[in-house]
Amino acid sequence: MKQSLNRREFFSYLSVAWIAFSAACAGLATLAFRFSYPNVSFDPEMDFDAGRPGDYEEGVDERWKNGYGVWMVKQEGRLVALSNICTHLGCIPNWLPAELKFKCPCHGSGYYMSGVNFEGPAPRPLERYKISLTAKGTILVDKTKVFRQEKGQWDNPDSFLSV
């Protein structure tokens, strides 16, 4: 016994097939689009716990340089969180302990341990971040608040800790 489709049934099945095909293609396109945008944020945190004041010796501490872009500098009874971004073109300077200076490998800008520029094309000193003590006695560095020396902001009590 042979069954035949009438015209109405044929177009009904054809419509269902096209709707199913379009839905499958839309689902795959959505998955492909979503796959191209990862869930990972590669930006460093804007504030972080930097340990206790007693963890730092006199001089430059580089433990936060790669993870957070911050040097902790203890000098003359003050602890500061110094940005590790050159003010010339945004390169990352290196700390040279033998010469007691930061030296930018891109264009030769040099900075004293305090962050003040003294050689090369850098137009201004390195920036400082807000630094404070938490109730637990740990250091909190907040990179959302920046202090600039040329604006007279390095005297602000939030730009350093007295240690």
Side-chain angles (χ1 to χ4, degrees), residues 31-109:
L31 290 175
F33 181 76
R34 178 66 186 97
F35 180 77
S36 65
Y37 291 97
N39 272 344
V40 180
S41 172
F42 296 104
D43 296 332
E45 294 292 324
M46 293 306 289
D47 61 344
F48 64 96
D49 185 351
R52 299 189 175 279
D55 296 345
Y56 297 97
E57 295 181 15
E58 194 77 13
V60 176
D61 190 304
E62 294 193 278
R63 75 180 90 170
W64 310 111
K65 176 185 176 185
N66 294 329
Y68 295 100
V70 174
W71 286 300
M72 299 298 284
V73 179
K74 187 175 184 181
Q75 185 179 25
E76 299 172 1
R78 289 186 172 184
L79 182 65
V80 298
L82 206 58
S83 170
N84 74 343
I85 298 174
C86 180
T87 58
H88 177 231
L89 289 178
C91 297
I92 307 295
N94 297 309
W95 169 243
L96 305 176
E99 300 175 38
L100 294 176
K101 69 178 181 178
F102 298 104
K103 186 71 172 175
C104 184
C106 297
H107 300 101
S109 294

Side-chain angles (χ1 to χ4, degrees), residues 79-156:
L79 182 65
V80 298
L82 206 58
S83 170
N84 74 343
I85 298 174
C86 180
T87 58
H88 177 231
L89 289 178
C91 297
I92 307 295
N94 297 309
W95 169 243
L96 305 176
E99 300 175 38
L100 294 176
K101 69 178 181 178
F102 298 104
K103 186 71 172 175
C104 184
C106 297
H107 300 101
S109 294
Y111 302 88
Y112 293 118
M113 187 188 316
S114 63
V116 174
N117 55 320
F118 68 93
E119 65 181 351
R124 56 189 176 82
L126 296 172
E127 297 174 344
R128 289 183 183 178
Y129 297 123
K130 180 180 178 182
I131 184 170
S132 59
L133 283 177
T134 65
K136 296 179 183 178
T138 60
I139 299 169
L140 179 68
V141 176
D142 182 2
K143 293 174 53 177
T144 62
K145 179 66 178 156
V146 176
F147 299 95
R148 293 184 169 179
Q149 189 266 346
E150 68 275 14
K151 292 184 175 182
Q153 297 172 337
W154 279 12
D155 293 328
N156 187 312

